[in-house]
Structures are given as structure tokens and as C-alpha cells.
Amino acid sequence: MDIEKIRNIGIIAHIDAGKTTTTERILYYTGKIYKIGEVDKGTATMDWMPQEQERGITITSAATTCFWHEHQINIIDTPGHVDFTIEVERSLRILDGAVVVFCGVGGVEPQSETVWRQADRYHVPRIVFVNKLDRVGSDFFAVVEQMRKRLEAKPLILELPLGKEENFSGVIDLLKMKSIIWKHTSEANGIDDGCMYEEKMIPEEYLAKAKKYREQLLETLAEVDEDILRKYLHGESIDFEKIKKTIRKNTIANKFFPVFCGAAFRNKGIQLLIDAIIDYLPSPLDLSGVTGENPQTKEKIFRHTGIDEPLTTLAFKIQIDPYVGKLTYLRIYSGKLESGRTIYNAVRSTKERIGRILRMHANRREELKEANAGDIIACVGLKRTFTGDTLTKEDKPIILESMYFPHPVVSLAIEPKTKNDEEKLALALNRLAEEDPTFKIKVDSETGQTIISGMGELHLEILLERMQREFNVSANVGRPMVAYRESIKRAVREEGKFIRQTGGRGQYGHVWIELSPLPQGEGFKFVNKITGGAIPREYFSAIEKGTTEGLEEGVLAGYPLVDVQVTLLDGSYHEVDSSNIAYEIAASIAVKNAAKKAEPALLEPVMKLVIFTPEEYIGDVLADLSARRGEIKEMEMKGKIKVIMGYVPLAEMFGYATVLRSLSQGRASYSLEPLRYQEVPKEIVETILEKATV
């Protein structure tokens, strides 16, 4: 396939906006599947895991490939639930474009904002599909306005809805100035699958509105293209293809975001959306290539997209398959990949052999002999490759930018039910952690308990279910606990020494470091300011490793220390006794001692909370929220429903679903997503520390 005719896209949105339903229709109309499955019946193609089919939600991102008008579209359908945000994060890292699905009723919902910001982080071009316009309470123009206000995005309306709610029948194409009507069952030979539609003149009652938005469309294009501006000002006709090329160019540049509309469940609007994917989202060639660094020299390297360039691929997902073993999903940026070939993992400095190359269709596989630049494939046989690793040629190594993995916010203790399950439990947990970088395992040094951490209660619940089903391991689990963090408030200089000198060869490590606070969310930075050879270069990596080990357990209650910078200032060495392990221990000692003097503080995860409640329950809901240390940001009305937006500590939200149902007679709902870590109020720090040390 010509690289110019490849589209690598993701379908992203808030939970229940209709991502998987939209993907199902795309697969049907492109001929990839021959029967439309439904999410609520557990028959959707991309929701292949038993847990997805039972719960009616997407849990893991699934890849597939389809073809439309001689173009190849590689699609990744992503989860909408905040607990599985890593699936969106790693998918957006390797995609060229995305379709953002907004619910016509819910509009720009909390997780919609999160995935939009994730796409911003990776500069992913997007088109927007406003879905569910057949639903009661849907409002296309309100959703567009929310894009402007909440996302600070510039929508480019290319379609208008024809009819509203139950009378929604089609769309108005503002480029062709035609209405597109999908035929009813009686007109389509008894099969209402959305395949049959026709272009008609725009109905008289919609003509004025269509002309108004057509003018707005041309005005927006005139702002970014001088030729269109000149013709627009002189009242000249503007070539149809010129308009499309201008939209494409500026969509790829993220100047604006084309907006389309439809009702995926009712099979309306999807064919035009597929056309838009081809017309406006980039091919791998449009993005020209990727930038990385040489692992030895650290110099910047740019790799152009192309088969003739050196091989450059990124491992973005690991999946344990019961039939073929470990599947490693790869995005190929340049070069060619062949089965049986040996490639080089530039991150881990190891060689790997490609066993089989597979094109995935959800959980089904098609074997390929080779894959080229622009492809998204899965490989069998990579034993020492993990999420975020770069695979390349050994003589032309490159390391691509690493992925961002959010910190877990919920933990619980786990232990095997029987002695015989100990080894099986450890194996299962390690396999699941290999798949999911946001799933962490830790053994408490004092109690010996195994502690697992994840992005939320649902996240851990799903992983425990998988452990039982896929690995046949049963375990006892404790109550969910908040994953606190520790940080510091001021900078401190500290010395670290590890000296053991006896008759024979001893150990000598000596460092001076400065431990200083970083802005919230910065994580950890290591800065080396050694000059003049006070410490030889070969010990620098050991010192950095020692500092990271020293940060693993804070000084207040043993929680990880975050948002700090360790600066290596000075030190000394012994020609005979100095060693890596001595400097590693010295650095760890220095960090621990510095943290005690740097005004350590306890941090807790704070969540963004959105509550939807009938207005008559607003008083009780707000009173309860105040008791949970909640902070109201804003409130608005959506029809007869009051929407409350604010922040609340995660520690106060366990069991909230039951309480909210009780307060509202089961009529209110809510959503939570991680927002930030912030310092715990002094009055409750002691209580938390007492619990942590019990």
C-alpha cells in the first residue's frame, strides 16, 4: 500500500459517547465485517474481552484495519473510562490522527476534556463527530459551543443536522450545499443498515441556516489562505478541491477541527465520516517523520518516513495472548520489518528476533511476511521488549521520546488463598504489570504484604477478574487504599558517605547533593553539576540509580517522594575502593537524610468530580459534598438536570455511588477522574500517618 494512502487513526471520547458503535459501523460500511454488532448485546467486534462484553464498556484499546476508496485505515478503538486512560495515552502517542466522538446530549464531558488534552500533548490532528443526535435532549450547536469554551478549540462546521431528536434524518453538507438523507427500512428493501442514502436539495426551511454557516466556513478558510481570501472578498466562486485542500492542510496543522454529525446507532452519518478521515486526516507522509536521540551521543536525530530509511519502530502496547504468548504492538515509522529478522532494542541495548508479524483485527490475527513504514502491527517473539521501547538497527540506533504514564491513585493488599497459589500469583501479577504500565506491584518492607496499585477501583477489579479467568489464580484482597505521595517544601544540601575500609579492598562512595522541590506534577529530575573530575564519569549512572532508590520510600510514612530535583554537586573517590554499589548507597543515604530536613509534606490525589442530579436533590448533594472536603467549581443546568463540577480528595469518595443513589432516590450519577496531587490539610495528616503505620 502506498504510504500516502494510509491513515492511522484513533477513536477517542468520554465513556458512552458511542466510540465502539461508531467503529463498528465504519467496519461494516468498509466491508471488514458483514454483520453489525452492538455494544449492549456484547457482540461489538472491538469489545472482544469477556469483561467488555459483560459490562458493555471498552477496557483495552483494540486495533483493526479496513479499506475505503483504495485507502488503508488502521483504527485503534480506545476506552472512555478514566481508569483505563493509559490505553488512550499510548494509542495517541503513535497515531497520526483521531476522530473525537462527542455525545449530542452529554456534549463535552469530563473524560472528553482529558482525551482532548492528551491529543494536544502529542499534537494529534482531529476531526469531530457529534453523535446521538437522534436522542431526546440532543443539541448539536450546544456541543460546538462547549468545544469553544471548555476545550478552547476552534471548530469548523462542515455538516449541519437535518431534523432533531426522533426526527433526525440526515445531514446538510456545507461544502456541496446538499442534504444527505438516509432511507428508511421500507425504502431499503427491509434492511435498515444505513447503506442507502441520497443527495437532495436543501429543504427550504433549512436554507437560510445552511447559507449562514457556509459563509462562516468560508470566512474561517479566508483567515488561513490568501487565495481564498481574495476570491471571497471579490465575490468569486471558490474551487471545491481548493476548499478541501485548505481544510486538510490546516486540520493537519491543528489550526481548526472539522465537525461532522450523525447517529451511529441509527446508521446515519458514518459514510461521510469515513470520507472525512481520508480527506482531512494526515497520512504518515504528511507528518514527515519522527525525532529521537542517539543513545550513545545523545544528539538529536530526525528519521524521515519512508521504506528506504533505517528501521525505526516504537513498541506501544504489550498483550499476553493465551494462544501465541506475548504480543508486542509496534508502530513502524521508517524502514521495513521482516519476520525472522533480528532487530535492536535501543533502550535496553539488547537484540531481539521477530518471530511472526501479525495484522490485528481486535483479537483475530492475519499473518504477514513483512510490514513497512506507516504500518501498525503486532509481533510474536519479542521477549525483552516493553511498552515505550524503540526497536531499530544496531548500527543506526535511535531512541524515540518516551511515553507519559500517570501515577496510580488506588492501592490494595493481595495475598494467595493457598500456599500452592504463591508462585502462580506472582507470575500472574508480573504478566499483568508487563501489559499495563499504570499497574504497579510492591512488597511492603515491614509487613511483607504484596500491594497492588492502579488508576481506580474498577481498574483493579478488572485486573483481579482477569487474574482469575486467564491465570486461574484466586486471591484474598484487602480494602482499597489511597495511594498517597510525599514531597518537600524547601531545598537542602546534604552529604552522603558509604565507606567500608578493611585490610583488603573496601568500599568508598562519597557525594554532595541538593534536594529541591519542583512544581506539582514534574515528577523527578536528576541534574549533574560535577566538574573537574571530582567523581569519575563511570559512577554517574550508579549515583542517579541510588537517588531514585532513595525516593521510593519517603520519610513520613514510606510513600514515594515526588516532584523533586536531585542535583549532584560534589564528592570524592578512592582509586582502589570506589565502586558503583558504594556510590549507589551513598546517594540513597544523602537523599534520605536531605528529605528529613527539607520540610516533608504528605500529598493526596484530588479528583475532578462531575455530578448530574435532578434539581430537587441539590441541597442534600452539596451538603454531603462539603462534608467530603469537596470544592465546587461551577454549576449549570442541562435541561432539567443540574450539573455540579468541582474537586474532591479521592480518600473521601470510596463508596460514594451508594451514598449518591440514596440521596437522590437513584436518579443522580457522577464521574471521577484524577486531577492532581495536593498537600493534605494539617488537621488530618496525623490520622493518615497513624493508619499508614498500623
Side-chain angles (χ1 to χ4, degrees):
M1 175 63 69
D2 184 350
I3 298 177
E4 195 174 350
K5 293 190 174 182
I6 294 176
R7 301 290 182 271
N8 292 314
I9 68 155
I11 312 290
I12 61 176
H14 185 91
I15 190 169
D16 203 33
K19 296 177 305 302
T20 302
T21 301
T22 300
T23 307
E24 189 78 7
R25 270 57 181 179
I26 291 174
L27 296 179
Y28 180 73
Y29 297 130
T30 57
K32 185 69 179 182
I33 58 176
Y34 300 98
K35 183 181 178 183
I36 297 176
E38 303 297 352
V39 173
D40 56 353
K41 295 179 182 177
T43 56
T45 305
M46 305 302 277
D47 284 351
W48 58 271
M49 290 177 64
Q51 292 93 335
E52 293 177 316
Q53 294 167 355
E54 291 164 5
R55 295 168 185 264
I57 62 171
T58 302
I59 292 168
T60 183
S61 55
T64 189
T65 299
C66 58
F67 297 86
W68 184 256
H69 296 167
E70 299 181 348
H71 285 72
Q72 176 180 319
I73 307 175
N74 299 320
I75 302 174
I76 297 183
D77 178 35
T78 64
H81 198 287
V82 65
D83 283 19
F84 311 107
T85 187
I86 181 59
E87 295 287 343
V88 184
E89 185 76 31
R90 58 184 171 189
S91 297
L92 286 172
R93 171 67 179 81
I94 57 91
L95 290 169
D96 301 326
V99 176
V100 185
V101 182
F102 293 135
C103 173
V105 181
V108 179
E109 297 169 280
Q111 188 64 6
S112 303
E113 291 188 53
T114 301
V115 297
W116 191 273
R117 305 301 176 205
Q118 287 173 306
D120 281 344
R121 186 184 302 131
Y122 296 115
H123 310 291
V124 178
R126 279 146 277 172
I127 62 177
V128 172
F129 182 63
V130 181
N131 191 26
K132 300 189 178 183
L133 291 178
D134 59 319
R135 295 282 186 92
V136 175
S138 61
D139 189 333
F140 172 79
F141 299 101
V143 177
V144 172
E145 191 56 33
Q146 287 173 14
M147 282 183 63
R148 290 193 180 96
K149 288 183 177 179
R150 293 188 185 175
L151 304 178
E152 298 175 345
K154 189 172 186 178
L156 183 75
I157 298 175
L158 296 184
E159 290 178 355
L160 299 177
L162 199 60
K164 191 174 181 181
E165 299 178 344
E166 69 271 13
N167 295 319
F168 175 72
S169 59
V171 302
I172 296 171
D173 185 333
L174 293 178
L175 294 191
K176 294 181 178 179
M177 285 302 280
K178 296 280 187 179
S179 62
I180 313 296
I181 309 293
W182 274 264
K183 294 189 176 182
H184 296 297
T185 301
S186 58
E187 298 176 85
N189 300 320
I191 305 173
D192 192 8
D193 61 0
C195 284
M196 300 186 70
Y197 60 93
E198 59 185 355
E199 289 186 5
K200 293 184 176 181
M201 299 297 292
I202 298 173
E204 189 66 34
E205 63 269 29
Y206 289 95
L207 196 54
K209 181 178 282 189
K211 287 180 178 178
K212 172 189 170 184
Y213 282 95
R214 165 81 176 189
E215 284 298 305
Q216 288 183 9
L217 167 62
L218 294 177
E219 286 172 9
T220 303
L221 298 182
E223 292 172 7
V224 295
D225 188 278
E226 288 187 5
D227 187 40
I228 291 180
L229 174 61
R230 181 182 55 79
K231 289 183 176 180
Y232 179 71
L233 291 176
H234 288 87
E236 299 174 21
S237 63
I238 304 169
D239 180 65
F240 180 73
E241 289 303 319
K242 170 65 176 176
I243 291 176
K244 287 179 68 175
K245 285 180 181 177
T246 304
I247 295 172
R248 176 182 178 79
K249 176 184 175 182
N250 290 279
T251 299
I252 292 171
N254 280 311
K255 295 280 185 66
F256 47 60
F257 305 95
V259 180
F260 302 86
C261 57
F265 187 71
R266 301 297 176 194
N267 310 317
K268 293 179 173 69
I270 302 300
Q271 294 95 330
L272 305 186
L273 179 65
I274 309 173
D275 287 339
I277 290 169
I278 301 299
D279 291 340
Y280 306 125
L281 290 180
S283 75
L285 287 179
D286 287 311
L287 304 177
S288 68
V290 288
T291 301
E293 67 176 27
N294 185 300
Q296 280 86 42
T297 65
K298 304 300 180 184
E299 66 175 309
K300 293 291 182 185
I301 303 172
F302 184 79
R303 286 275 163 85
H304 291 278
T305 301
I307 297 174
D308 298 328
E309 288 280 307
L311 177 69
T312 307
T313 75
L314 184 71
F316 68 94
K317 177 180 168 73
I318 304 296
Q319 180 182 320
I320 306 301
D321 188 284
Y323 301 105
V324 299
K326 181 179 173 180
L327 276 176
T328 306
Y329 285 74
L330 302 177
R331 165 66 197 268
I332 305 176
Y333 288 101
S334 63
K336 180 186 290 188
L337 192 65
E338 297 153 334
S339 59
R341 178 177 173 181
T342 298
I343 57 176
Y344 181 67
N345 186 324
V347 174
R348 304 183 189 277
S349 302
T350 58
K351 292 181 181 180
E352 293 267 47
R353 185 178 178 277
I354 300 290
R356 296 160 60 197
I357 299 174
L358 306 173
R359 176 175 286 152
M360 301 301 294
H361 179 49
N363 62 332
R364 297 195 289 278
R365 301 169 287 274
E366 172 192 347
E367 191 155 350
L368 305 173
K369 290 184 179 178
E370 64 178 33
N372 300 315
D375 282 335
I376 294 175
I377 47 93
C379 287
V380 180
L382 303 180
K383 295 181 173 62
R384 296 180 298 279
T385 296
F386 299 90
T387 302
D389 287 359
T390 304
L391 302 169
T392 180
K393 291 184 70 176
E394 188 172 9
D395 59 341
K396 293 189 177 178
I398 184 174
I399 295 180
L400 301 179
E401 180 189 354
S402 60
M403 296 184 186
Y404 165 77
F405 301 133
H407 295 294
V409 295
V410 175
S411 303
L412 53 81
I414 184 171
E415 61 181 24
K417 283 194 173 180
T418 67
K419 195 77 174 172
N420 295 333
D421 281 336
E422 277 187 15
E423 281 189 25
K424 288 167 65 179
L425 176 64
L427 174 65
L429 291 177
N430 287 325
R431 286 283 181 86
L432 292 171
E434 191 175 346
E435 278 193 10
D436 186 347
T438 60
F439 177 56
K440 302 295 184 184
I441 310 161
K442 172 187 169 185
V443 176
D444 189 297
S445 56
E446 293 184 4
T447 65
Q449 279 186 311
T450 299
I451 308 295
I452 59 174
S453 305
M455 297 306 297
E457 291 179 84
L458 180 62
H459 184 204
L460 294 179
E461 184 183 324
I462 294 292
L463 288 170
L464 292 171
E465 273 187 32
R466 288 188 59 197
M467 191 177 70
Q468 190 161 11
R469 289 187 181 192
E470 296 172 27
F471 300 95
N472 196 27
V473 180
S474 296
N476 297 318
V477 295
R479 295 178 61 186
M481 303 172 289
V482 174
Y484 292 98
R485 295 283 183 270
E486 296 181 26
S487 194
I488 58 171
K489 293 183 180 181
R490 67 184 183 92
V492 168
R493 293 191 175 198
E494 185 63 37
E495 183 181 29
K497 283 185 179 180
F498 182 72
I499 301 174
R500 297 285 186 275
Q501 291 174 307
T502 55
R505 177 168 180 171
Q507 297 285 353
Y508 186 97
H510 173 223
V511 298
W512 273 96
I513 61 120
E514 180 180 72
L515 184 68
S516 54
L518 287 176
Q520 193 272 323
E522 289 288 317
F524 163 67
K525 287 183 182 177
F526 179 79
V527 178
N528 186 349
K529 288 190 175 180
I530 290 287
T531 56
I535 299 174
R537 292 176 61 88
E538 62 261 32
Y539 300 123
F540 290 166
S541 59
I543 293 170
E544 183 173 357
K545 183 181 177 185
T547 62
T548 56
E549 288 174 353
L551 298 173
E552 286 177 0
E553 291 189 0
V555 296
L556 288 176
Y559 296 112
L561 203 60
V562 297
D563 299 334
V564 295
Q565 176 173 300
V566 176
T567 305
L568 179 60
L569 301 171
D570 202 358
S572 62
Y573 75 102
H574 190 283
E575 288 187 359
V576 176
D577 292 346
S578 284
S579 66
N580 281 323
I581 188 66
Y583 278 108
E584 197 175 310
I585 295 171
S588 181
I589 291 170
V591 168
K592 292 279 190 187
N593 290 338
K596 292 174 184 175
K597 302 173 183 177
E599 294 184 32
L602 190 67
L603 307 179
E604 65 179 345
V606 173
M607 313 297 281
K608 183 190 290 185
L609 171 68
V610 180
I611 302 173
F612 304 87
T613 178
E615 197 166 12
E616 57 263 37
Y617 305 112
I618 191 73
D620 291 340
V621 170
L622 290 176
D624 177 74
L625 195 56
S626 177
R628 296 173 186 272
R629 297 191 282 133
E631 176 187 339
I632 307 301
K633 180 185 175 185
E634 62 178 287
M635 293 191 287
E636 66 179 31
M637 290 297 296
K638 276 191 178 179
K640 296 180 180 179
I641 298 296
K642 194 81 168 179
V643 182
I644 305 165
M645 288 163 277
Y647 314 126
V648 64
L650 175 63
E652 306 290 345
M653 294 304 287
F654 292 122
Y656 184 64
T658 303
V659 173
L660 187 62
R661 279 197 298 268
S662 175
L663 292 173
S664 65
Q665 298 182 10
R667 296 172 62 192
S669 62
Y670 77 102
S671 67
L672 276 178
E673 66 172 284
L675 178 65
R676 61 174 181 262
Y677 271 85
Q678 72 179 28
E679 188 175 349
V680 178
K682 291 181 180 179
E683 60 269 19
I684 61 173
V685 168
E686 288 302 320
T687 306
I688 295 171
L689 294 183
E690 284 175 14
K691 289 181 181 178
T693 53
V694 170

